[in-house]
Amino acid sequence: MDLKLKDKVCIVTGATSGMGKSIATLFHAHGAKLVISGRNKERGNSLAKELAGAVFVSGDVSEPQYNALLVKTAMQHFGKLDIVSLNAGTLGLGNVVELSMEDWHKTVDVNLSAIFYMSKHAIPHLEKSNGTILINASIAAYKSFPNHPAYCASKAGAVALMKQLAVEYGPKVRVNAICPGPVDTPFIWDSAKAFAHPESAVEDAGKATLMKRLGTPEEVSKLALFLVSEDAAWITGTAMTIDGGILNA
Ligand SMILES: NC(=O)c1ccc[n+]([C@@H]2O[C@H](COP(=O)([O-])OP(=O)(O)OC[C@H]3O[C@@H](n4cnc5c(N)ncnc54)[C@H](O)[C@@H]3O)[C@@H](O)[C@H]2O)c1
């Protein structure tokens, strides 16, 4: 097997579930040395056992110091940092009138500010390694959904911040985003609660794509692998949709 990330040191957030877990697993299979981040200690420790050599650090990405700790852990354990894959995300459901101030701030902090916190600490090391950042944004950056105001705004912000980082830190550091459509993870079942018919919303989302089904975390992780690998050495400042064609439906 061609090990596309042999000895690359990689931080993966949101790694204990869904797309982040699939990304961590695929990166590990391609030879990456991992620092995995998540809030659930049981799932994190179990994944660290599964992915030999991976180091799990539990915490909340909306706390600036936790991002610093993830970077410090990569440096202490592996002596460098090559790749940052940011997947932690939250929804903050309810229309603007209903959504609490607390939920607005939490959603923006997790989906947007955490990218700033992580970049602040990681970029000095990524400049040395000619590394890369990959942000898991969403088609919500481009297409709005009812009852997701903080989510849509923060994901659009994540894409804008990605572009700004790419401008500021190229050519040393490549920065890209992926914008998934409806993918079969626990997240989409939570998101369904915001729609008029939650019981059918997930199935409806799959049917609304041109491919007539939900995406899988594994399909997304293959795109993530490509974008952080040397194969994508001339790709930066780009948000790639992987959405079964839903934006074009
Ligand atoms: N599933 C979809 O349809 C879909 C579509 C587009 C984009 N996304 C994005 O993909 C990313 C991954 O989501 P997923 O679908 O794999 O869902 P998921 O629920 O399986 O994973 C989300 C992860 O983020 C973690 N997380 C949430 N808040 C956190 C916090 N404060 N600190 C640390 N970790 C936190 C969760 O614990 C979980 O592990 C998210 O950013 C989400 O917005 C999902």
Side-chain angles (χ1 to χ4, degrees):
M1 182 172 156
D2 178 18
L3 295 182
K4 289 190 183 293
L5 304 182
K6 190 166 172 1
D7 295 330
K8 297 287 184 192
V9 178
C10 180
I11 295 172
V12 181
T13 74
T16 57
S17 175
M19 287 181 254
K21 184 174 182 185
S22 182
I23 286 171
T25 305
L26 187 63
F27 286 11
H28 184 264
H30 277 269
K33 296 175 176 173
L34 298 178
V35 174
I36 51 178
S37 151
R39 289 174 304 175
N40 185 308
K41 288 186 184 167
E42 203 183 318
R43 288 206 306 257
N45 286 324
S46 143
L47 185 65
K49 271 190 198 154
E50 217 177 285
L51 307 178
V55 181
F56 171 63
V57 186
S58 71
D60 183 332
V61 297
S62 68
E63 289 169 9
Q65 282 316 309
Y66 174 61
N67 291 273
L69 177 63
L70 289 170
V71 173
K72 196 173 159 196
T73 303
M75 296 310 292
Q76 279 176 347
H77 279 262
F78 303 117
K80 63 171 182 149
L81 179 62
D82 301 292
I83 297 166
V84 176
S85 166
L86 301 175
N87 304 284
T90 196
L91 285 160
L93 299 181
N95 66 38
V96 162
V97 174
E98 296 159 355
L99 188 68
S100 68
M101 296 286 182
E102 196 186 2
D103 282 353
W104 167 268
H105 285 298
K106 185 71 184 179
T107 307
V108 172
D109 283 352
V110 172
N111 294 352
L112 177 56
S113 303
I115 300 169
F116 164 70
Y117 305 146
M118 174 56 81
S119 302
K120 192 173 191 53
H121 296 288
I123 281 174
H125 302 290
L126 295 172
E127 283 185 301
K128 288 183 191 141
S129 63
N130 287 324
T132 186
I133 300 175
L134 183 63
I135 295 162
N136 196 334
S138 169
I139 55 162
Y142 306 114
K143 177 181 168 60
S144 247
F145 306 108
N147 295 317
H148 287 65
Y151 187 73
C152 294
S154 58
K155 291 296 187 178
V159 169
L161 180 55
M162 172 277 292
K163 291 183 184 175
Q164 198 285 332
L165 292 169
V167 166
E168 194 98 85
Y169 296 104
K172 288 185 180 165
V173 182
R174 294 188 304 110
V175 189
N176 292 294
I178 49 177
C179 292
V183 177
D184 194 1
T185 69
F187 202 85
I188 196 170
W189 295 93
D190 288 340
S191 176
K193 293 174 194 152
F195 290 86
H197 303 287
E199 59 298 332
S200 62
V202 173
E203 198 184 335
D204 293 346
K207 282 186 189 154
T209 71
L210 297 179
M211 302 311 292
K212 303 297 171 204
R213 65 170 175 83
L214 300 177
T216 67
E218 290 70 31
E219 286 171 317
V220 176
S221 62
K222 286 180 202 166
L223 176 61
L225 174 66
F226 168 69
L227 285 172
V228 302
S229 76
E230 278 304 304
D231 291 341
W234 209 51
I235 300 178
T236 194
T238 289
M240 277 193 188
T241 53
I242 171 162
D243 68 346
I246 199 169
L247 280 188
N248 199 34

